[in-house]
Amino acid sequence: MYKKGMLIYNGNAGSVDTTQLGTVLGVLSVELPELIVRRTSEPGEAKKLCREYGEQVDVLYILGGDGTVHECINGLADLERPPVIGVLPGGTCNDFSRALAMPQQLARAAEVLNERQTRTLDIGTANGHFFTNFYGIGLISETSQNINADIKGAFGKLGYFLSTLQTVRTAQPFAFELEHDEGTLSGEAVMIYAANGRFLGTNPLPFPDEALQDGLLDVLIIREAGLPLLRELLSRRSPENWKPENSNIEYIRTSRLELRTEQPMPADTDGEIYLQTPSQLGVLPGKLTFLIGDQVGG
């Protein structure tokens, strides 16, 4: 029985309005005697709130996009007694909430959170920081940097795709060396993507259903650019019908990753860019407990 909870929300993420927020609070408060609400107004505030209050509540709800989730997880993962975490979709893509099988309608998502079905899931690490969904360099970080804020606000996930299509035509290969559980890879690539989750830009990726619970990162190495390759990456595929050995995308699964590039390169973690190569990546198996929907594998 949860007695005390907190909801942290980003008023600038996506299109959450006061009516939707009121609906969510009305649903959640039915099953919770005490619910504290905090609105963030600047970068770093959500992380600070999670560190300060995380051990004082039984459940912590995050209402925002993948960036807000990323910031909160970086405030919770170091706690000795972190709360159960519920994610409400309030951003543009909401990829991690999709991986948790959460409905993308806020009111319905709040109802699912009240069902209190939980699962303990992996968290990725990168140079001492944490990520829920992915770490990437090359094309993916260039795409994030090239997104026009006005386009993103007006067109949502379409803005990401427009930016991607602009970037993919000019992507330049970079030299890399990558050490993983079974050896070393090197050469040139236009993008390296290490995933803990299963969605990218709202699109499901062809990773195993148990990707969030297997103690492994799913790593894609894309050695050449082009629109056919982009379509392959973003098309709706399942593990059963995607054949990595016949693909332009090299695929490995590993519990650790050491990544070096000729020059330091910006890295994108869950849509946030503040790290750079060289990078040491890993997985913390079963690190945090999340409220989930009915279709999370494992």
Side-chain angles (χ1 to χ4, degrees), residues 93-111:
C93 291
N94 305 309
D95 284 334
F96 189 64
S97 77
R98 294 174 191 274
L100 298 176
M102 296 301 301
Q104 295 302 294
Q105 299 75 33
L106 277 174
R108 178 58 187 145
E111 292 171 355

Side-chain angles (χ1 to χ4, degrees), residues 23-269:
T23 299
V24 166
L25 293 176
V27 174
L28 296 177
S29 61
V30 169
E31 300 292 336
L32 200 60
E34 183 178 357
L35 179 60
I36 304 167
V37 180
R38 291 288 186 272
R39 180 185 187 275
T40 63
S41 58
E42 59 185 27
E45 190 174 358
K47 180 179 178 180
K48 181 179 179 181
L49 287 170
C50 287
R51 283 184 170 171
E52 184 175 353
Y53 294 101
E55 293 185 336
Q56 301 178 29
V57 298
D58 304 306
V59 59
L60 189 141
Y61 302 109
I62 305 167
L63 171 54
D66 293 307
T68 304
V69 175
H70 177 85
E71 190 174 320
C72 288
I73 295 306
N74 275 274
L76 295 169
D78 279 333
L79 298 180
E80 290 187 12
R81 298 181 303 278
V84 174
I85 304 163
V87 178
L88 290 151
T92 302
C93 291
N94 305 309
D95 284 334
F96 189 64
S97 77
R98 294 174 191 274
L100 298 176
M102 296 301 301
Q104 295 302 294
Q105 299 75 33
L106 277 174
R108 178 58 187 145
E111 292 171 355
V112 170
L113 292 180
N114 275 352
E115 295 172 6
R116 297 184 176 176
Q117 183 178 188
T118 63
R119 191 153 294 164
T120 302
L121 303 176
D122 302 342
I123 295 296
T125 65
N127 291 1
H129 299 267
F130 305 96
F131 63 91
T132 56
N133 205 41
F134 75 88
Y135 165 103
I137 63 171
L139 178 61
I140 191 162
S141 61
E142 293 169 19
T143 298
S144 294
Q145 291 174 310
N146 288 342
I147 291 174
N148 180 290
D150 293 333
I151 291 178
K152 179 181 175 183
F155 297 105
K157 71 175 183 178
L158 178 60
Y160 283 100
F161 296 148
L162 291 173
S163 180
T164 298
L165 292 175
Q166 292 167 357
T167 305
V168 75
R169 294 187 176 95
T170 59
Q172 295 297 316
F174 57 87
F176 75 93
E177 184 175 75
L178 183 155
E179 295 182 19
H180 59 98
D181 286 345
E182 298 182 1
T184 302
L185 292 170
S186 62
E188 289 191 339
V190 295
M191 175 171 147
I192 296 177
Y193 179 90
N196 182 55
R198 300 184 64 244
F199 285 81
L200 172 60
T202 76
N203 292 268
L205 292 169
F207 301 149
D209 289 342
E210 68 275 12
L212 283 164
Q213 296 176 274
D214 59 6
L216 299 172
L217 295 172
D218 293 277
V219 182
L220 302 175
I221 301 166
I222 304 173
R223 295 185 180 269
E224 60 183 63
L227 294 179
L229 179 61
L230 180 64
R231 285 196 294 269
E232 178 178 355
L233 179 65
L234 296 180
S235 63
R236 298 181 63 88
R237 297 173 184 266
S238 67
E240 291 73 25
N241 64 22
W242 188 57
K243 305 297 183 183
E245 64 272 16
N246 298 325
S247 170
N248 289 323
I249 302 173
E250 196 165 349
Y251 175 51
I252 62 172
R253 305 180 73 206
T254 182
S255 65
R256 64 172 187 88
L257 201 67
E258 293 190 25
L259 178 59
R260 295 177 289 275
T261 54
E262 277 190 336
Q263 302 294 329
M265 294 182 61
D268 186 335
T269 49

